[in-house]
Structures are given as C-alpha cells and as structure tokens.
Amino acid sequence: MAHTSCVASLFLFLTQLSIGQRQVTVQKGPLFRTEGYPISIGCNVTGYKGPFEQHFQWSIYLPDSPTNEIQIISTSDPAFTYALYGQRVRSQDIYVERLQGNSVLLHISKLQMKDSGEYECHTPNTDGKYFGSYSAKTTLNVIPDTLSAAMHSQTFSKEEGESLELTCQASKATAQHTHLSVTWYLMQGTERTQATEIISLSKDFQLLPGPLYTERFLDGHVGLNKVDKETFRLSIDQLQSSDQGRLFCEATEWIQDPDETWAPITKKQTDETTLSIQPAVRDFQVTIKTESTFMEGKALELLCQVVGSNHDPQLQGTWFFNGAKIARVGPGGVLDLKEDYRERASQGLFQVMKLSPKNLSLKIFSAGPEDEGIYRCEVAEIARTQMGSWKVLQTQQSPDSRMYLRKPAARSVAVYTKDQLQTVWEGEPLALLCKADGAQGQLSVKWWHIPQDQIQKKFVAGMEKDGTVQWGTSYGAPNTSSKARLEKMDWATFQLELSSVAVTDSGTYVCRVTEQIRDQASDLGWSQKVTVTIQPLESSLQVSLNSRQPQVKLTNTFDLSCLVKADYSDLKIPLDVTWQFQPAWSPVFHQFLQISHNGIIAWGDSIAWFQKKTKISQSPFCSQLLIHDTTKEEEGVYQCRVDIYDRASLQTGGRARASALSHPLRIAVTLPDSQLEVNPGSQVQEISISSNTDIECRILSWSTGNLQFTITWYFSPISMNATWLKILEMNQINVVKYGDEFHSPRRKLKFHTQRVSQDLFQLHILNVENSDQGKYHCVVEEWLLSANGSWNKLGRKQSGLTELKLKATGSKVRVSQVHMTENATEHTEVVVCCSLESAGSSASLFSVRWFWNGALLVHLQHDGVLEYGDQGHRRLRRMHCHRPTPTDFVLTLQQVEMEDAGTYWCKVAEWQLHGNPSKWVNQASDESWHVQLTVLPAEPTFPSRICSSASLLYFLVICPLVLFVLLLISLLCLAWKARRLSMLSQNAQKKEALWVPMTGTEGNTVTRREEEEEDN
C-alpha cells in the first residue's frame, strides 16, 4: 500500500526500548492529511509486564471541546466505541491492525473534516502497579483537497519512428508546504491498476523512468519536462508499436511529517489520450546516381541513394566493383576498405562517406583506366539486439552501374542559369554560367544579348585569356553602380551576373568560348545560348482587404486586414502599404496612414482622428489595423494600396516596381441593441383639489455603456377626443424644455420633473386643479455618448398610463334607483328618463352621461354643451337629449330599430365653483339603475308583405309588363291586316269601274274574268 515506506520509518521511531517502566509512543504530530483519503497512525508500548499481547484503546479530543474524551475503538472491548463513531467502526471505515503484540495501527479509510483533533492511544495496565506512561497523544489536522490534474482527451494516430508530446496540467493550493510528483502511465488493458509506468518526476524533482522505458530514457528518447509552474510535458521519440494504448497522467501531493518522512496525502488522475501506432513502411530501394562516363585524371563520384522508406533506419552500406567488395560503411560511420583502396585513401585519392542517413558516396579523385567497370551498392537495414550486437533486418542491392572511360573529344559549351531557373522575377539578380569541357586550356569568353521579339544581338561583356574585361555600351564599365559583372569561376567556367534585372532583360543570352590552339592560325570557338524570361512583379501581385466585423457596433472594435498575395512571397521584397478611407460625406478617398518598408509610419492630415485609436500590426505580407471606440465617423469605404520595390529602386530612390489596389470594403457602424424597458403598468391616483402629487416613471432595464436618458411627459385631458399634449422634456444633459401649451410662467411653476435615482424620474404637479384631471405618461429615450462626443439614440419606450382624478368634496348626488324593463315596437319612439331625488344646491350645475351596453352615447355637460360618443354619432338624427325639469334628464330615441335593443343607464355629476380664480369642479356623481330595452318587430301590412317577398314582387312587376307587350304586339298585327284588306278592296273597285261600258258586247268575257278573279 501507499504508506508502506511511511509505516516502516514510523516503527523505526517507535521501537525505542524503555527499561524498567511502561512507555507508550505514537507517531509525532501534528499530522496533516487530506479529506477523503486514508491515514494510518501507529502506537507502540514497551517496558511493560504481563502478557506479550497488549490491548489498545483509541480516543479523540475535538478542537471545540478539548477536554471531552470521545472513545473511538478498542482491541478488547467492542462496547468501547461511542455512538458518534459506531457506524464507521462497524463498516470497517475505522479499524485497528495489530502488527505485533505491542504494536498496532489505527486506520481511517476515508477522512472527514470532523476527524481533526487530538488522538490518544491508551494501554490498560497489566503491570500490577502503575509505573510509567500508559497513553500518548498526537494531533491530526484534516485539510481540504486542492489538488487538480487535467489533460484534454485526445486521439492520436502515429507511425513507428514518429514523436509524441503530451501535456498535463497539475496544480495545488494547500496552505501547508507540500511537494508534487507527476507520473505518466500507459494502459493497454481495462484496469488502470495494471497500467505501465512510463516516467515520473518525483517529489524530490528526480526523473525516474519505468522499468520498460529505462533504456529508451537513457538513450534520450523518453523525457518529462516541467514547462511552467503547472504544466508537465511528456516527450517520446521514435515511437514503437509497444507504445500503443491509452495514456494518462497521475499527480500526487506529498507532505513531510514531523519525523521527516514524506507521506502522500492526495492523488488525482487525468482523462485518457488514445494512441495508435501504425507499422512503418520499411521496404526501400537502392539506386546509384552518377554519370556513365569519366575522363582520365578527373574525379569519379557515385552516389548510392535509399528511397521508399518513411523513416530513418540504421543502415550499413557496402560498395562492390566488378563483383568484389571494396568498401563498407557501418551505421556509426566506421569505414572498412579493401587493402589497395586503403592505400589510395591514405593518399587522399579515394573517399567513401555517409552524406546523410540515406545517401552513401564513393569518390575517386583521379580516376584512371583501372577504375572502368561495374559498380554496385548494397544497403542493409540493421538493428541492435538486446545483447548489444547488430542484427540485419533486410538487404537491398542497386542495379549495376557501368562506368566508361571517356576519350578526349572536341570541346562543348553549356550555358545555364546558376539556380537552374530560366524565369526570374523583376528586380532580382540573374547569374548565367558558361562552362566548357575538355582538357584544360587558355580560354576567353564573350556574351551577347538578343532581346525578346528581336533578332539583333547586343554585346554585353567579354573576358580575354589574361582576364581583361570589355563591356558593351548598354552595360557600362565595371564600377560600383554597374548592374553587370563578369567573373571567371575556374579555368573553364565564366559567370555573367546582372544585379537587378528589368523586363527588358528578357531574351536569349549567347556565350562564345574561344581557345587558341598552338600551331593553328585561327582560334577555335564554341557557342551556346540560353533563353531567360523576366517576370514582371505586377503580374502576380494581388491585394485583398477583409474584416471580421464588416458591421460593427458603436464603441466596439473592428479590424482591417490588407493581405498581399504574390508568387514571389519567399523573396522578402520590400513593400509600402497605404491605407485610404472614403467617409460617408466625401465623394473621394483620403489617405490616412502609410507604412513604409523600413517601418516609418506617416499619418494623414485630413483625417487625423485615426492616429489616437488605431493599433497597427505589420508582417511581411499582411498589414492589420485594429480600430477602437468606433464612432459614426469611421463608417465608410476602406481601401489599401501596396507598392512593391526591388533592391535597385531602393538604392537609387526610384519609384515602385509594381502597385496594386484592393477592392473597396464598406464598414457599417450600427447602434447596439437597446435593452431599455419602462414600467408598462397603469394606475389611478385620486387626490384632493389644490393638493400636490407626483407621477413616477420607472426604468426597469437599460443598455450598457456611456448612457444618458431623455424624459418627456405627456398629458391627455379627460374630455373626449382629447389629444396628447407635451408637458416638458428633459434631455440627456438635464436641460428642460416645456411644450407649447405649458410654456407660460404659471404652467412652468406648476409642472416640473426630477431624477430621483438612476432608474426613477418623477413629475411634480403643484396645486392640482380640475383641469389637471386626465391621463399622464412618460416617454424615455436612451442615448449613447460616442468617443467623438456625439449622442446616438438607441431606443425609445413609453410607460403605462397614470390617470389623475379629484376626490369628490361636495354633497352626495342621488339618482333614482328604479330597475325597468321596457318593450318598444320597431319604428316607434322610446323615452328613457333619469331623475334626481333632489334638485341640489342652487350653486350647483349638473352634467349627465348616457350609456348603451357600456358605450357612451352622449354627454350633456354642465355648461349645456353636447358631446357625442361613437355610438351616439350613429344615432345622431334619431336621438335627442334634454333636461325638461331641474331634476329630470331625458333621452329620446325616434324610429327605434332592432339594433337599439340593449341596456341603458345614466351617470349624473354635480359641479361647483372652487378656487381663486374660480373653476368648475366635479363634486360628486351617481349612476342610475339599468333600463332594459327590448325592440319588437312591427306588424306587417299588405305593401310591406309584398315588399318583403322578392319572388312575389318580381311576379307583380314583370307579369303585367309581359302581358302589356303581348297585347301591344296583337294590336299591331290587327292594324296591319285591316290596312291590307282596305287596300285590296280599293283595287277591286277601280278595276270594276273600267269594265262597265263593255257589258253588252263582251259579256262572256267579263263574266269569265270575274270568275277568274273570284277563283283567285
């Protein structure tokens, strides 16, 4: 158990022998232990007589009652325990363990705060007489558990050979001096008790690796670092498959007891982090990289490369020449050479070395015909065994590489750029190399430039065999300001360098190497060319502007990020950033900030307020602004411009090589959401005339920030259709302005407002009059003060209504209380009466209000003026209100309709003159009982019955009309027939008159014609 070492040291202390007298000893106090954790206190007795096995009794004296003994447990008497500890003793939460006949341990499995106190160990007397000490005491203090340990639960998937880092947060806040130990565990099963210890930082600040991690700790592959006061970091390099599982951290708090032994008082474990290890890909291939030919007397170099493995294994390389082993390099770099090659290596003519874990080099500095042949490289992956020897895991061989001795031939020239790139950015240096091969000799060189899209070449520079340099007219003499430089790197290599190229330097560069051959009249020359493209800086320059808060609340902070994107971001080209702003009131942009490449910051004059509220963050390709305390002045459109410089323009003070402007970005400044709430409740105040009163306007909630309120009071008289009148307004700086109707000196004295507290305003009304009766409310506006001193309204809320009434002070008005039910026939006249029991005082006037179903019909005021309600306006032509006698009020309804049915009653008010100057004041009022009116439909008459039936009405109207049309048509037909018969008769008479004179002679003929006419 955790206290084994502590108990052992305890009994070294307790087993002091005392001769001749009884001596009882307990562990020296005071002891400090943590709530919820166990404790073991030892007790030992020596110098006693009697049986070897002694009995022990444990008691406690609590701090609040130091003289009162409370018995806990006894080894001899089960009834010794007090009820306070009975349950814990029975449940074995508190028990005594006997180590020997004269030694015991008191165990408390789970300490409670109430367990603090002075513990006494007592041994009953077995000596026959009392001689010595029979009890001993020690103090135990139970303290709170303040230890915490935390680690984020994560899941990692790693490959063999990779590294892992985990951090654990452990802290304590114990008032006593304690130490902390931290241990990391690997759990591969289901129980944390079976976890494997990786490494721990002990309470003595020593690193102690677990048994399975000792060798890796000594190799530096496992470590534990204390990053800060509360952070502990576990590092594991070259992960192995055995590291797979769940890792957690355990923190233990230790305290040093008075006997100078350390005891753990609390322990915490973190959540688990899951780690899975994927097997590493170990298969690899071996290749040889070299040229297939070499020249006699020149260097021959072969490079053996290992490809395909995703980790850095331990490798051993072996070189073979024509099948025979000539050299071996071990994993530690130890070289083993064949005898004849060992001699060449001692002369500096042969070298085998490991350039990197996966690259092995063989180099012969002066190769000859004997080095022509087949070369092969063999690589073996090895690992150290438990016994310390090397074990070969796998072996791979390269393909054979045959090397040929190259015979002397004509020279050739190669032209290329120094960095093997044929595209160069504008303003960057360009280095061209012209290299000739063959035997060493005296060479000269000349360079020409053919600009892009041209055929005429321009002379750039030349170098003679003696080193003399000639320059073309476009490039000038070699001085400090010249942009060209020609150098001889070795006997066959010439370098032309342009320090800062322009787009016009694009094109083809031609190099001609010349060699003077002895015994020949002319020199021999070889030419080669290379094409170079100068890329303008502006071609890939892009500038973007963005913000995480394009809509920012007033007084908040917003950011602007000007991001530069270019394909040459790795060149560290200097740039200037210019910030522009177009306010809402301006049609153009204004420059308010410029950040130069050398860090100089220049603020604009036209918009000066940005300097006091802007924080600048600058990186090579990003410029960021943080603008604090936003006001409406910062609302508008922003842009950033970037100017790119090269080295030459910086040195000469020239203009920028490239510029780009970002897209415009609009920043909108909005007001914060208002949290204003005003008490919406309504109330009624009834006060005496000529008294003073206060009307409250309470604010329930409001927004945050530099806020002030404006308060406006409104009043609506009790008369019907009255509008709301503005009494006064107190603005955010407490300036009071009265409304038009309350601007007189008398009104100003009568009404004034006061801010009683942060959330309460009052309207004071002095000497209340009858005209002050009505409804009041307040309107509260919330105003936010911005950094530039301007006010911005956030919200507006209206309170509930407060109705102000005057108490009745005169005589009581008595209206006759007679409940009536009246029936009336439709279209007849109805009279409703309202009578006073007495005429009242001669100084009194009366007003009456008539109501129907709760709605006001008409108000006959005390001065005789009639005022109609909504329902009264609908019955205006049929309704009449008058006062025939001093005690009677009459409402007459003419032409009663069905919709007039309902409940009618009146309310009579008495008015008298009061005050100086005198005003009419409502003294008292009373309502009558209700009159229930029922409207009966009228008896229908014959015309009404006809009119009430649509079908009968249609029949009576349409049927006579149809009969009349038919009759008219018949008469027209008869008239037409009669006229036709008359015309035929007249024609017949005319014909008869023509035939009379020929009767005697042509009688037959006439007779025949008449017959024919009759037949017709």
Side-chain angles (χ1 to χ4, degrees):
M1 56 187 300
H3 300 284
T4 303
S5 60
C6 182
V7 172
S9 61
L10 167 67
F11 278 99
L12 287 175
F13 166 77
L14 293 177
T15 53
Q16 301 174 352
L17 296 176
S18 177
I19 300 186
Q21 64 178 2
R22 179 184 288 263
Q23 182 71 32
V24 177
T25 56
V26 294
Q27 188 173 351
K28 186 178 180 181
L31 303 177
F32 291 89
R33 294 297 185 266
T34 307
E35 180 185 9
Y37 286 85
I39 187 175
S40 297
I41 305 175
C43 182
N44 184 62
V45 59
T46 59
Y48 61 89
K49 296 179 181 180
F52 173 72
E53 185 174 283
Q54 294 288 298
H55 287 289
F56 295 84
Q57 296 174 348
W58 288 91
S59 303
I60 186 174
Y61 297 87
L62 297 178
D64 55 354
S65 181
T67 60
N68 185 17
E69 178 187 4
I70 300 176
Q71 300 178 42
I72 301 176
I73 192 169
S74 171
T75 59
S76 59
D77 185 7
F80 179 80
T81 304
Y82 280 9
L84 181 62
Y85 289 92
Q87 178 60 35
R88 296 174 67 184
V89 170
R90 287 191 297 272
S91 64
Q92 291 292 301
D93 180 48
I94 299 177
Y95 64 95
V96 174
E97 177 187 3
R98 184 179 293 278
L99 301 178
Q100 295 178 4
N102 63 334
S103 299
V104 296
L105 283 176
L106 171 66
H107 293 290
I108 303 178
S109 302
K110 190 173 183 181
L111 283 171
Q112 302 176 9
M113 294 300 293
K114 63 183 181 180
D115 291 332
S116 294
E118 188 177 37
Y119 285 77
E120 180 182 39
C121 175
H122 176 74
T123 59
N125 184 14
T126 61
D127 303 332
K129 63 177 179 178
Y130 286 92
F131 183 56
S133 65
Y134 290 84
S135 64
K137 294 182 179 180
T138 187
T139 301
L140 172 64
N141 295 307
V142 181
I143 59 177
D145 182 7
T146 62
L147 178 64
S148 66
M151 178 180 66
H152 293 298
S153 179
Q154 305 174 74
T155 300
F156 291 100
S157 179
K158 298 281 187 178
E159 291 187 354
E160 283 185 298
E162 291 186 342
S163 300
L164 173 69
E165 284 191 354
L166 295 176
T167 58
C168 169
Q169 306 290 330
S171 64
K172 59 185 178 63
T174 309
Q176 288 71 32
H177 176 72
T178 59
H179 285 191
L180 201 63
S181 67
V182 175
T183 306
W184 286 90
Y185 290 94
L186 171 65
M187 185 173 66
Q188 295 175 323
T190 58
E191 298 294 333
R192 286 199 172 189
T193 56
Q194 302 173 356
T196 301
E197 180 181 346
I198 301 174
I199 192 171
S200 65
L201 178 64
S202 71
K203 63 182 181 301
D204 302 323
F205 312 109
Q206 295 181 0
L207 284 179
L208 303 175
L212 300 181
Y213 287 84
T214 302
E215 182 177 351
R216 295 169 68 183
F217 171 75
L218 296 175
D219 293 338
H221 296 156
V222 176
L224 175 58
N225 297 323
K226 187 174 183 180
V227 180
D228 54 35
K229 184 178 179 181
E230 298 180 356
T231 305
F232 300 84
R233 181 172 58 207
L234 169 69
S235 302
I236 303 178
D237 295 332
Q238 298 186 9
L239 287 169
Q240 301 176 5
S241 58
S242 60
D243 297 325
Q244 179 169 291
R246 298 186 299 280
L247 294 91
F248 65 90
C249 168
E250 179 182 87
T252 305
E253 187 175 5
W254 299 75
I255 193 167
Q256 190 175 29
D257 289 336
D259 60 0
E260 298 185 354
T261 61
W262 288 91
I265 59 173
T266 180
K267 181 185 299 184
K268 292 292 173 62
Q269 293 180 343
T270 66
D271 294 336
E272 299 170 357
T273 289
T274 302
L275 174 63
S276 60
I277 307 296
Q278 305 298 325
V281 178
R282 295 187 176 272
D283 293 339
F284 59 86
Q285 292 82 38
V286 181
T287 61
I288 292 181
K289 183 178 180 181
T290 185
E291 296 181 2
S292 60
T293 61
F294 65 94
M295 292 188 64
E296 185 177 0
K298 299 296 182 181
L300 168 62
E301 184 174 9
L302 296 94
L303 183 64
C304 180
Q305 294 181 324
V306 176
V307 295
S309 178
N310 60 1
H311 69 295
D312 292 333
Q314 297 281 350
L315 299 179
Q316 172 182 280
T318 306
W319 284 100
F320 293 88
F321 176 61
N322 290 333
K325 182 175 71 174
I326 60 175
R328 172 181 291 171
V329 180
V334 179
L335 181 62
D336 180 22
L337 297 177
K338 190 179 177 182
E339 177 106 13
D340 51 347
Y341 285 94
R342 190 180 302 122
E343 183 178 350
R344 294 176 70 177
S346 64
Q347 298 173 0
L349 300 177
F350 184 81
Q351 183 186 66
V352 175
M353 61 185 301
K354 213 176 211 182
L355 302 179
S356 69
K358 296 183 181 180
N359 290 279
L360 184 66
S361 170
L362 182 147
K363 190 172 184 179
I364 304 174
F365 289 94
S366 181
E370 69 275 9
D371 297 316
E372 186 178 27
I374 298 174
Y375 290 83
R376 187 175 77 251
C377 173
E378 181 182 276
V379 177
E381 181 183 1
I382 59 178
R384 193 179 293 275
T385 64
Q386 297 272 346
M387 305 300 295
S389 61
W390 292 101
K391 175 184 178 182
V392 178
L393 301 180
Q394 60 174 324
T395 302
Q396 299 290 342
Q397 291 186 353
S398 70
D400 291 344
S401 179
R402 179 175 291 278
M403 303 302 298
Y404 297 94
L405 179 64
R406 188 167 62 225
K407 307 299 181 183
R411 294 187 187 278
S412 64
V413 175
V415 180
Y416 52 89
T417 60
K418 188 174 183 180
D419 53 5
Q420 303 295 326
L421 297 177
Q422 292 183 239
T423 300
V424 182
W425 288 106
E426 178 184 12
E428 290 299 298
L430 171 64
L432 299 170
L433 294 174
C434 180
K435 186 174 184 178
D437 64 357
Q440 187 170 347
Q442 295 291 325
L443 304 177
S444 61
V445 68
K446 287 186 178 179
W447 288 91
W448 286 272
H449 175 221
I450 305 174
Q452 195 171 3
D453 301 329
Q454 296 185 22
I455 58 175
Q456 185 68 32
K457 64 180 180 180
K458 298 179 181 180
F459 177 66
V460 179
M463 179 180 288
E464 299 297 334
K465 293 184 290 296
D466 58 358
T468 305
V469 179
Q470 302 88 31
W471 294 94
T473 57
S474 300
Y475 294 89
N479 51 42
T480 55
S481 62
S482 175
K483 77 170 189 174
R485 185 172 61 177
L486 181 59
E487 292 182 299
K488 190 173 185 178
M489 310 303 292
D490 56 40
W491 70 271
T493 305
F494 301 88
Q495 176 176 281
L496 174 65
E497 183 176 2
L498 304 180
S499 60
S500 179
V501 295
V503 178
T504 55
D505 293 324
S506 296
T508 302
Y509 287 84
V510 180
C511 170
R512 179 174 176 80
V513 176
T514 305
E515 181 180 11
Q516 186 177 7
I517 305 299
R518 185 180 296 179
D519 301 331
Q520 289 192 12
S522 60
D523 295 342
L524 295 179
W526 300 270
S527 298
Q528 191 56 268
K529 59 185 177 181
V530 64
T531 300
V532 178
T533 302
I534 308 302
Q535 190 80 11
L537 294 176
E538 199 166 11
S539 61
S540 72
L541 180 61
Q542 296 179 359
V543 179
S544 62
L545 179 61
N546 57 55
S547 174
R548 288 176 293 179
Q549 301 94 10
Q551 287 193 347
V552 60
K553 300 292 186 183
L554 197 71
T555 71
N556 283 3
T557 299
F558 70 94
D559 70 299
L560 296 170
S561 296
C562 184
L563 303 176
V564 182
K565 183 180 180 182
D567 295 339
Y568 44 82
S569 57
D570 56 334
L571 298 180
K572 298 182 180 180
I573 294 178
L575 53 86
D576 292 350
V577 179
T578 303
W579 288 91
Q580 299 174 342
F581 173 54
Q582 181 185 1
W585 47 264
S586 175
V588 296
F589 280 90
H590 301 269
Q591 176 180 324
F592 69 92
L593 175 61
Q594 184 177 32
I595 308 170
S596 64
H597 59 274
N598 54 6
I600 298 176
I601 297 175
W603 294 92
D605 297 330
S606 59
I607 306 177
W609 65 82
F610 279 101
Q611 183 175 0
K612 299 179 180 180
K613 58 184 353 182
T614 303
K615 180 181 178 182
I616 304 171
S617 298
Q618 194 77 4
S619 61
F621 281 86
C622 178
S623 179
Q624 187 178 47
L625 303 183
L626 285 178
I627 301 177
H628 303 274
D629 294 330
T630 305
T631 65
K632 278 291 185 179
E633 292 179 343
E634 282 81 58
E635 185 174 49
V637 181
Y638 292 79
Q639 272 187 328
C640 67
R641 189 184 76 244
V642 175
D643 299 314
I644 302 290
Y645 295 85
D646 59 16
R647 296 178 179 86
S649 59
L650 286 179
Q651 293 174 359
T652 60
R655 63 181 183 84
R657 286 282 191 178
S659 297
L661 190 67
S662 74
H663 61 279
L665 176 64
R666 178 173 295 278
I667 297 295
V669 180
T670 60
L671 295 176
D673 296 332
S674 176
Q675 305 296 323
L676 179 64
E677 291 293 338
V678 181
N679 185 11
S682 298
Q683 60 178 332
V684 177
Q685 288 189 19
E686 190 172 1
I687 63 172
S688 302
I689 192 169
S690 300
S691 62
N692 301 333
T693 188
D694 297 328
I695 298 177
E696 292 187 348
C697 180
R698 185 173 296 276
I699 301 174
L700 302 180
S701 64
W702 56 88
S703 307
T704 59
N706 192 359
L707 294 172
Q708 292 295 337
F709 301 105
T710 65
I711 180 79
T712 307
W713 290 95
Y714 291 92
F715 167 63
S716 176
I718 59 175
S719 60
M720 294 177 56
N721 302 323
T723 59
W724 286 99
L725 305 176
K726 178 180 176 182
I727 303 174
L728 59 85
E729 175 186 352
M730 185 171 68
N731 65 10
Q732 56 268 39
I733 59 174
N734 298 327
V735 175
V736 177
K737 181 180 178 181
Y738 283 83
D740 295 338
E741 291 79 2
F742 294 82
H743 209 270
S744 63
R746 179 175 172 274
R747 288 279 193 168
K748 290 183 178 180
L749 291 174
K750 186 179 188 66
F751 295 92
H752 66 276
T753 188
Q754 178 187 5
R755 185 170 186 171
V756 180
S757 63
Q758 186 178 7
D759 60 345
L760 179 62
F761 293 84
Q762 286 184 345
L763 176 67
H764 301 294
I765 307 176
L766 305 179
N767 194 19
V768 175
E769 305 172 357
N770 183 66
S771 59
D772 299 330
Q773 293 188 99
K775 296 178 180 179
Y776 294 80
H777 75 268
C778 69
V779 174
V780 180
E781 293 180 350
E782 193 176 37
W783 292 80
L784 176 65
L785 180 62
S786 60
N788 61 354
S790 62
W791 289 98
N792 301 273
K793 186 168 76 171
L794 298 185
R796 185 178 188 271
K797 291 291 184 179
Q798 177 178 315
S799 71
L801 301 180
T802 297
E803 185 175 359
L804 185 62
K805 295 182 178 181
L806 293 179
K807 294 181 180 179
T809 58
S811 59
K812 291 292 183 179
V813 176
R814 301 295 183 184
V815 179
S816 59
Q817 305 292 324
V818 179
H819 184 77
M820 297 178 59
T821 300
E822 185 171 341
N823 296 330
T825 307
E826 192 179 8
H827 306 306
T828 61
E829 182 179 280
V830 173
V831 176
V832 182
C833 294
C834 180
S835 301
L836 297 177
E837 295 182 356
S838 64
S841 172
S842 60
S844 298
L845 295 179
F846 294 91
S847 65
V848 64
R849 283 186 174 89
W850 287 98
F851 296 91
W852 170 75
N853 289 343
L856 179 66
L857 291 174
V858 62
H859 178 198
L860 177 59
Q861 300 180 10
H862 63 277
D863 55 0
V865 176
L866 283 173
E867 185 178 14
Y868 290 91
D870 293 338
Q871 296 296 329
H873 280 290
R874 296 178 56 186
R875 299 170 173 81
L876 186 60
R877 296 183 179 180
R878 302 186 295 108
M879 184 177 65
H880 177 60
C881 176
H882 63 286
R883 184 181 182 185
T885 66
T887 59
D888 293 325
F889 299 91
V890 177
L891 176 68
T892 303
L893 295 175
Q894 299 174 347
Q895 294 293 317
V896 175
E897 298 178 357
M898 297 296 293
E899 64 179 13
D900 293 332
T903 304
Y904 292 80
W905 74 91
C906 70
K907 182 177 181 180
V908 179
E910 181 183 5
W911 299 77
Q912 289 183 354
L913 286 173
H914 283 278
N916 188 18
S918 299
K919 290 185 176 296
W920 288 100
V921 178
N922 184 2
Q923 296 293 100
S925 63
D926 192 18
E927 288 187 1
S928 69
W929 281 10
H930 295 175
V931 176
Q932 188 67 39
L933 176 62
T934 303
V935 179
L936 304 175
E939 286 294 331
T941 60
F942 180 74
S944 65
R945 291 180 179 177
I946 294 177
C947 294
S948 62
S949 176
S951 58
L952 181 60
L953 180 63
Y954 291 154
F955 176 78
L956 294 178
V957 173
I958 295 174
C959 185
L961 182 60
V962 172
L963 294 176
F964 175 75
V965 172
L966 294 176
L967 179 61
L968 182 60
I969 293 173
S970 301
L971 292 175
L972 290 175
C973 290
L974 291 174
W976 179 77
K977 277 196 173 254
R979 185 178 178 184
R980 177 153 186 190
L981 291 175
S982 175
M983 290 178 65
L984 290 176
S985 175
Q986 288 178 3
N987 289 337
Q989 291 177 3
K990 288 180 180 179
K991 291 178 180 180
E992 184 178 356
L994 291 175
W995 285 98
V996 170
M998 295 184 290
T999 308
T1001 57
E1002 298 180 359
N1004 295 334
T1005 305
V1006 172
T1007 305
R1008 189 179 299 113
R1009 287 181 179 176
E1010 290 177 355
E1011 293 175 355
E1012 291 177 356
E1013 289 179 358
E1014 289 178 0
D1015 293 337
N1016 291 335

